[in-house]
Amino acid sequence: MKLEQQIPRNALIWIVLAQFSLLLPHLGRVPMWLVLVYVAAAGTRVLVYQGRWSFPSRGVKVVCAATCLGGIWLSYDSLIGLEPTVALLLVAFSLKLLELAQKKDAYLLLFLAYFVCVTEFLFSQELQVTLYLLAVVTVITAALVALQQPEKLEFSLLPLRRAGVMLLQAFPLMLILFLVFPRIDPLWSVPLQRQAAKSGVSNFMSPGDISNLSLSGDVAFRVQFDDFVPARSQLYWRGLVFSKLEDSTWRALTWSEVPANERRPLVVQNLVGQRFDYSVLLEATQQNWLYSLRYARPSDLGVMSTNDFRLQSPIELEDQKEYRVSSWTDIPIELELSDWRREVETQLPLSGNSRTRELAQQMYSEAGEDSRSFVRATMAMFTEQDFHYTLRPPRLGGNSMDEFLFESRRGFCEHYAAVFVYMMRAAGVPARVVAGYQGGELSPINGTLIVHQFDAHAWAEVWLPGEGWVRADPTAAIAPERIERGLQYSMGDDEGFLSGSPLSPLRYRNVAWVNLLRLRLDAMNYSWQRLVMEFDSAKQYNLLSGLIGEISPARIATLVGVIWMLVLGPVLYTLLRRPARAKLDPATLSYLDFCDRMAAQGCVREPRETPADYARRAIEQRPEWGEQVMAITGAYETLSYLPPLQDQEAQLQKLRNLVRGFRPRKQ
C-alpha cells in the first residue's frame, strides 16, 4: 500500500472517537451486545494498526454480519421499524472498522457518520441533544482534517480546532438557508413505524394504566397562557372520553360506533364566565388526541373538535405539535342529552359486579332518586370510609369493581373514577370516565406550565339535569393533596416519588440549585422548540414579509444577495488581505516597508526571493539605487541571520533610518 493511502495514527484515533460519540446517545435504546460489537471492532482495528493482528478474512466478516443481523431480529422480533433499522445501521457502521484499510475507506466511513448523526433526531430534537450532536459533527470533521495530515504521528487536538473554525465559517450560510430556503419537512418528521410503546394516555384504560404513566417524569406538554394561569384545582386537561366498558377495560367510542347525526360537534352559543387563551406544545405521542381545558375552541385549522367536547388532530402526532386554544371552564355543556347519548353513557355489561350494582341502586334510592344527592353520597362514601390512594394497588380479578369496593379499597385515580362511573350507571345516571392530565408545574423562568407524565389522571363526568356534564373527581375526595399540590405530595414514604428514576432531577426539586438548573434548561428547550423546531412555512412567510414587505422573486433574490454580501464579505476580506505584520519582528517589518517602497516604483519582490537576489535585480533595473539598496539589505541580513549583536538596538535603529531615508522617484 502506498504511503499516501495509509490512514495516519492521529486520524484513526479521531475516527474511533467519532464512532463512540455517535453510539453514545443510542445506548438507552439499543441492546448492550451492540456496544460490545463496537468495542470488539475498535479493539481489532487498533491491534491491526499495531501489527499484532491482520485484517479479518471475508468469511469472518460475513459471519459477524450475519450474527449481528440475527441478534437484531431476536432483540426486536422484527427487522422493520425505526429502532431495529437504526440498530442495523449502527451495527454496519461499527463493523466497517474491520475493513478500514485505506483512506478511501475512511472517507466512506466518515461520510456515513454524518448520516448516522442525523438518526438521533428521529428520537429527540431537544436543545441539549442538538448541542451534543453539533459537538459530534465537530469530531467527525476533525477526523476528516486529520486524514489530510499524514505527518502527524501522535494524537493532536489541532484537527479539532480547525474543524471548529470550519463549522463557525459555515454557520452564517446555515442561518441563511434556514431563514430563506423553502421549508422542507426534515427526515425526523416523516412518519415511521416505531417499536417503542406509545407515550401518554392510551385509547383504553384498565386498572393500573394511569399509575404506570405516573412512574415517568417525561414532559407530556407545555402550556403558555396569554394572561394568568388558572388555579391548580381547575387544571384538568381533557384528552379522552371513555364511554364503553368491556371486560373491565374502558375505551373510547370509535368513529363508526357514533351515528352520523351524532358526529357533529356541539357548539355552545352563550359563552359566559372566565375565558382562558393559551398555546400548547405537545410532545409526539403517535396518537391523534390533543389536550385542553374544559370546553375548548381551537384557533388552528389543523385541530378538530369532537362531539364529546375533545380536541383531535386528523393525523397521528409523529412530531411535536403546537396549537392555540380558548377555553371556558365554567359554562354548562350539553344541557339536552339525546336518547342515543343517554343510552351509551348509562350502558353496563349484562352481568358481573353484582354487589356494586346493588349498593349503587340502594344508595340512589336512599338519595330520593336525585342525581345530585346520589353523587354527593358516593363522594362521601370515599371520604368517610377506609379507602386508600396508592400507586401500588393489588391486582384485581374479573369482578374488579366488587373486589375494589368491598375488599382491597386501595387504588389509584383510575380505580376510583371507574368505580364511580360504574355506580352512577348502575343507578341509571349518565356518566363517563375522562382521561388526561391534572395540574402541572409553573416555571418561574418563563411562566410556562410544564405537564409531566406523572400528572396523568382519570376522573369522571356525570350528567345532571339543568347543569349538563359536570366534573366529578373521586380523587379530590380521597386524596385532595393530589389535586391541590401534585402527585409528589400525595404519595406515602414507602412508595417514593419517581423511585424507578433515581437520576431524574424532578426527584430533587427541594434542592434549590438543581431545581433552578432544571427549570432553566426546560425554558431554553421550550424556546428552542417554538422558535426553531416549529419554524414552519407560515412563520417563515411572516418573517420575510416583515423584512421585505411583499414576497416576490426579485425581492427574495435581493435579500439573499445582501445577506450573502454581509456574510461572505468578512470571509473574502480575511482571505484576500495581506498577511498581518503585527507578529513579525521589528527588523522584518522595516524591511517589508522597504519592499513596499520599491514595489511602488515598479520593482516588486518575487515570492520566495531572497533579500540578496532582490537587491541584485533592483540594482540592475535602477543602478542609481545601488548604494542605498545594498546598505538596507546588508543591515537587514545582519539583524536577521547573524547571532544577536551587543548593539542590536543601534543596528535596528540604523535599519529604520535607512528605510526612512530611501525615497526613490520614478524615472
Side-chain angles (χ1 to χ4, degrees):
M1 183 188 303
K2 295 182 179 180
L3 181 62
E4 59 269 18
Q5 292 299 321
Q6 295 180 3
I7 300 176
R9 177 189 300 177
N10 190 34
L12 182 60
I13 296 175
W14 280 109
I15 290 172
V16 173
L17 288 176
Q19 282 202 308
F20 177 76
S21 302
L22 288 169
L23 183 63
L24 191 60
H26 293 280
L27 290 181
R29 66 179 68 97
V30 298
M32 286 306 299
W33 61 262
L34 196 151
V35 180
L36 298 178
V37 168
Y38 166 75
V39 173
T44 300
R45 186 59 185 84
V46 171
L47 292 175
V48 170
Y49 182 86
Q50 294 175 346
R52 300 182 185 181
W53 284 9
S54 58
F55 281 102
S57 64
R58 177 176 298 181
V60 172
K61 289 186 286 188
V62 169
V63 170
C64 290
T67 302
C68 291
L69 188 66
I72 293 175
W73 176 274
L74 293 175
S75 298
Y76 296 97
D77 295 327
S78 174
L79 295 178
I80 300 175
L82 180 58
E83 285 82 359
T85 302
V86 171
L88 185 62
L89 180 62
L90 291 172
V91 163
F93 186 57
S94 301
L95 292 180
K96 186 65 180 176
L97 280 171
L98 299 180
E99 53 182 18
L100 192 65
Q102 303 182 41
K103 279 188 176 181
K104 63 178 183 179
D105 301 321
Y107 286 128
L108 177 62
L109 181 67
L110 291 174
F111 292 153
L112 179 61
Y114 288 110
F115 181 77
V116 175
C117 185
V118 174
T119 61
E120 176 60 22
F121 284 127
L122 296 170
F123 302 95
S124 175
Q125 301 99 45
E126 293 186 340
L127 177 60
Q128 58 267 34
V129 172
T130 304
L131 293 176
Y132 175 79
L133 293 181
L134 181 60
V136 172
V137 168
T138 308
V139 173
I140 298 171
T141 308
L144 282 173
V145 173
L147 279 176
Q148 308 301 318
Q149 299 175 334
E151 72 280 359
K152 297 291 183 181
L153 299 180
E154 302 297 332
F155 178 69
S156 171
L157 293 177
L158 182 60
L160 187 65
R161 177 177 175 273
R162 292 186 176 178
V165 172
M166 293 169 63
L167 291 176
L168 286 176
Q169 291 173 338
F171 180 81
L173 178 60
M174 179 274 296
L175 190 60
I176 293 174
L177 295 176
F178 177 78
L179 295 176
V180 179
F181 197 79
R183 305 302 299 163
I184 301 174
D185 287 339
L187 174 64
W188 47 89
S189 69
V190 177
L192 296 170
Q193 180 182 356
R194 299 193 179 190
Q195 303 296 116
K198 298 173 182 177
S199 61
V201 178
S202 179
N203 60 347
F204 58 87
M205 187 189 78
S206 298
D209 289 343
I210 303 296
S211 57
N212 289 336
L213 280 178
S214 297
L215 301 177
S216 171
D218 295 340
V219 174
F221 54 91
R222 299 177 177 90
V223 186
Q224 185 75 56
F225 285 89
D226 291 358
D227 296 316
F228 63 93
V229 181
R232 184 184 179 91
S233 59
Q234 298 298 316
L235 294 175
Y236 281 82
W237 303 99
R238 302 174 85 253
L240 280 165
V241 172
F242 299 131
S243 298
K244 201 158 188 176
L245 177 62
E246 296 174 340
D247 299 327
S248 299
T249 299
W250 293 88
R251 67 173 179 84
L253 295 173
T254 63
W255 178 259
S256 59
E257 290 177 314
V258 180
N261 61 330
E262 294 282 348
R263 293 174 182 171
R264 190 172 184 177
L266 300 176
V267 178
V268 177
Q269 300 297 335
N270 186 21
L271 297 176
V272 296
Q274 180 66 53
R275 169 179 171 172
F276 298 101
D277 297 313
Y278 52 96
S279 61
V280 180
L281 183 62
L282 178 63
E283 297 294 319
T285 61
Q286 291 81 55
Q287 306 285 13
N288 295 82
W289 44 88
L290 308 175
Y291 297 93
S292 65
L293 298 178
R294 187 174 185 269
Y295 192 68
R297 283 189 179 179
S299 303
D300 300 347
L301 296 177
V303 178
M304 304 183 305
S305 298
T306 65
N307 63 325
D308 49 10
F309 304 97
R310 296 180 298 108
L311 299 184
Q312 188 168 312
S313 170
I315 59 174
E316 293 184 355
L317 302 182
E318 296 286 345
D319 199 3
Q320 286 184 326
K321 182 176 180 61
E322 184 177 17
Y323 54 96
R324 284 198 56 81
V325 180
S326 298
S327 289
W328 291 262
T329 57
D330 299 325
I331 63 173
I333 54 178
E334 203 167 4
L335 292 175
E336 298 294 332
L337 204 61
S338 67
D339 293 339
W340 174 83
R341 175 64 69 180
R342 182 180 295 274
E343 179 182 358
V344 167
E345 307 297 8
T346 55
Q347 194 174 50
L348 287 176
L350 297 177
S351 60
N353 298 296
S354 57
R355 297 175 67 186
T356 302
R357 294 174 190 256
E358 292 175 3
L359 175 63
Q361 292 167 4
Q362 177 186 345
M363 293 178 62
Y364 184 65
S365 177
E366 293 174 353
E369 298 187 354
D370 178 72
S371 300
R372 295 177 183 82
S373 300
F374 179 46
V375 169
R376 288 194 294 268
T378 306
M379 290 292 189
M381 177 187 68
F382 292 130
T383 304
E384 297 168 0
Q385 297 186 22
D386 190 24
F387 286 92
H388 301 276
Y389 186 72
T390 176
L391 268 173
R392 301 174 183 174
R395 186 180 298 274
L396 302 176
N399 291 315
S400 57
M401 306 297 171
D402 284 356
E403 293 180 27
F404 170 73
L405 203 55
F406 296 99
E407 298 175 16
S408 72
R409 296 198 165 195
R410 301 176 63 84
F412 200 55
C413 59
E414 67 264 38
H415 297 81
Y416 289 98
V419 75
F420 178 87
V421 172
Y422 197 97
M423 292 180 66
M424 293 296 111
R425 292 190 174 191
V429 178
R432 57 197 184 188
V433 178
V434 181
Y437 296 85
Q438 196 283 324
E441 178 186 22
L442 185 62
S443 171
I445 306 300
N446 59 359
T448 302
L449 188 75
I450 310 168
V451 181
H452 298 90
Q453 292 294 352
F454 58 71
D455 292 315
H457 191 54
W459 62 96
E461 285 183 346
V462 58
W463 189 88
L464 300 177
E467 297 183 48
W469 288 106
V470 177
R471 181 179 68 244
D473 189 0
T475 300
I478 189 66
E481 63 276 9
R482 161 66 180 89
I483 306 302
E484 296 295 337
R485 303 185 64 190
L487 180 68
Q488 180 179 8
Y489 303 97
S490 62
M491 295 292 97
D493 296 335
D494 58 328
E495 294 180 293
F497 178 66
L498 294 179
S499 57
S501 304
L503 299 181
S504 173
L506 286 163
R507 295 194 63 193
Y508 309 100
R509 286 190 285 186
N510 57 331
V511 182
W513 70 270
V514 174
N515 195 49
L516 180 62
L517 181 63
R518 176 184 64 85
L519 291 174
R520 288 194 180 278
L521 180 60
D522 187 89
M524 289 189 295
N525 260 319
Y526 180 72
S527 299
W528 168 261
Q529 298 294 343
R530 293 196 66 188
L531 299 179
V532 179
M533 301 307 300
E534 295 294 323
F535 187 73
D536 54 14
S537 299
K539 293 183 178 179
Q540 183 186 52
Y541 182 86
N542 293 334
L543 175 64
L544 295 178
S545 298
L547 290 175
I548 62 176
E550 180 185 357
I551 304 296
S552 65
R555 294 194 177 191
I556 290 291
T558 302
L559 176 64
V560 173
V562 170
I563 296 177
W564 272 84
M565 289 177 60
L566 293 175
V567 171
L568 295 182
V571 176
L572 291 176
Y573 173 76
T574 303
L575 295 176
L576 299 179
R577 70 186 178 92
R578 293 187 305 173
R581 296 182 177 181
K583 297 182 180 180
L584 302 177
D585 61 274
T588 301
L589 288 173
S590 294
Y591 181 73
L592 290 177
D593 187 16
F594 161 71
C595 293
D596 290 342
R597 296 171 183 240
M598 295 280 286
Q601 301 300 316
C603 186
V604 181
R605 184 184 176 191
E606 300 293 337
R608 299 182 182 179
E609 189 174 23
T610 65
D613 291 340
Y614 181 44
R616 283 192 293 270
R617 185 165 61 84
I619 295 173
E620 289 177 0
Q621 293 182 17
R622 301 287 295 275
E624 67 274 14
W625 293 350
E627 183 179 349
Q628 289 179 289
V629 169
M630 292 304 297
I632 292 173
T633 303
Y636 174 64
E637 288 180 335
T638 300
L639 287 168
S640 300
Y641 302 119
L642 294 179
L645 304 174
Q646 291 183 351
D647 57 344
Q648 189 84 4
E649 288 296 327
Q651 291 292 330
L652 179 59
Q653 188 61 43
K654 176 184 176 182
L655 173 62
R656 288 172 175 169
N657 293 336
L658 289 170
V659 172
R660 290 194 191 101
F662 182 71
R663 299 180 181 278
R665 295 288 183 272
K666 266 192 174 182
Q667 294 181 337

